Amino acid sequence: AAGVIQSPRHLIKEKRETATLKCYPIPRHDTVYWYQQGPGQDPQFLISFYEKMQSDKGSIPDRFSAQQFSDYHSELNMSSLELGDSALYFCASSLAAESNEQFFGPGTRLTVL
Amino acid sequence: TQLLEQSPQFLSIQEGENLTVYCNSSSVFSSLQWYRQEPGEGPVLLVTVVTGGEVKKLKRLTFQFGDARKDSSLHITAAQTGDTGLYLCAGFFYNNNDMRFGAGTRLTVKP
């Protein structure tokens, strides 16, 4: 069965650079969630979208923005990168009409040097 | 402070032993999920519990949701080395649309 796809899987950036992470949800899923997971920590919710509209906002820094496009894929844009942004970034998707079960992608490992 | 408390944080056992991991909150969950995560990979959904008192079995894994829907447990029977990983509980609370994770239980099963 098709799963959530994230790209790139690994990304290395310098401080103050920008990064764009992409997420392709499971086909038919209409809701996308972004999480940040630091080393040894649990995933922290950043932001979610339902039907291309922002549905909920967590601990997402002002330097980050995200959107969901007409094909339901989502992009997380990160600017003015800081060393502390180094983490695993996960995208999850769900089908709102069925349940709130979230299925996670493999993640993007971002390293800021 | 974590909204969801998981215990124990670390657990190291021998193959064949049984174990139980706990997830607790002072608030009522509208639903709760258990995930297993391998290093560098995304969490994999194991089960979702919704009804108070619900028990679900997944092979050697038994998941229980407390009657008051404030706690849950994961019991593994006859653990195998392949069960090694990080087990995360995650829950939705009423009046809150985002899912919150517990800190996780890092399980090591030794041969």
Side-chain angles (χ1 to χ4, degrees):
Chain A
V4 176
I5 297 172
Q6 287 187 248
S7 68
R9 292 295 312 276
H10 302 272
L11 190 58
I12 299 175
K13 290 285 185 178
E14 301 272 343
K15 276 195 308 184
R16 291 180 288 278
E17 285 190 323
T18 61
T20 297
L21 310 185
K22 297 186 178 183
C23 169
Y24 297 86
I26 291 172
R28 288 181 56 238
H29 280 194
D30 50 19
T31 308
V32 167
Y33 311 81
W34 285 98
Y35 291 86
Q36 178 192 59
Q37 186 175 29
Q41 297 179 0
D42 54 285
Q44 296 295 313
F45 171 72
L46 294 178
I47 195 167
S48 62
F49 292 86
Y50 166 67
E51 282 292 343
K52 292 149 278 186
M53 299 286 289
Q54 181 183 309
S55 61
D56 206 9
K57 200 170 181 179
S59 53
I60 185 169
D62 292 340
R63 299 176 289 108
F64 295 4
S65 65
Q67 57 181 334
Q68 186 180 31
F69 294 87
S70 57
D71 64 350
Y72 294 99
H73 94 272
S74 178
E75 294 183 4
L76 177 66
N77 299 293
M78 311 160 72
S79 62
S80 302
L81 287 169
E82 301 173 358
L83 296 179
D85 296 329
S86 295
L88 270 168
Y89 290 83
F90 291 108
C91 168
S93 74
S94 68
L95 181 58
E98 279 191 355
S99 73
N100 53 18
E101 287 184 338
Q102 296 182 20
F103 297 87
F104 282 75
T108 294
R109 181 174 293 281
L110 172 67
T111 302
V112 182
L113 302 175
Chain B
T1 53
Q2 292 279 147
L3 208 54
L4 288 79
E5 296 290 335
Q6 268 191 257
S7 61
Q9 190 176 355
F10 298 96
L11 188 56
S12 180
I13 60 171
Q14 293 294 136
E15 199 168 27
E17 292 183 345
N18 302 331
L19 66 112
T20 303
V21 175
Y22 300 92
C23 179
N24 299 283
S25 176
S26 58
S27 301
V28 175
F29 297 108
S30 59
S31 71
L32 184 140
Q33 282 91 35
W34 282 94
Y35 290 86
R36 178 165 166 246
Q37 186 178 23
E38 301 281 357
E41 298 181 10
V44 175
L45 181 64
L46 297 175
V47 78
T48 297
V49 287
V50 178
T51 307
E54 186 175 5
V55 176
K56 284 191 174 180
K57 288 183 185 281
L58 187 66
K59 295 183 183 177
R60 294 176 293 101
L61 277 60
T62 301
F63 303 86
Q64 192 157 7
F65 201 18
D67 291 339
R69 294 158 71 188
K70 290 185 177 182
D71 59 275
S72 180
S73 64
L74 157 60
H75 182 80
I76 301 179
T77 304
Q80 299 175 357
T81 55
D83 294 328
T84 293
L86 178 66
Y87 290 83
L88 294 157
C89 68
F92 284 91
F93 298 91
Y94 289 102
N95 302 318
N96 197 325
N97 289 325
D98 59 79
M99 186 166 71
R100 302 294 178 89
F101 279 86
T105 294
R106 192 164 297 280
L107 171 66
T108 302
V109 181
K110 295 180 282 189

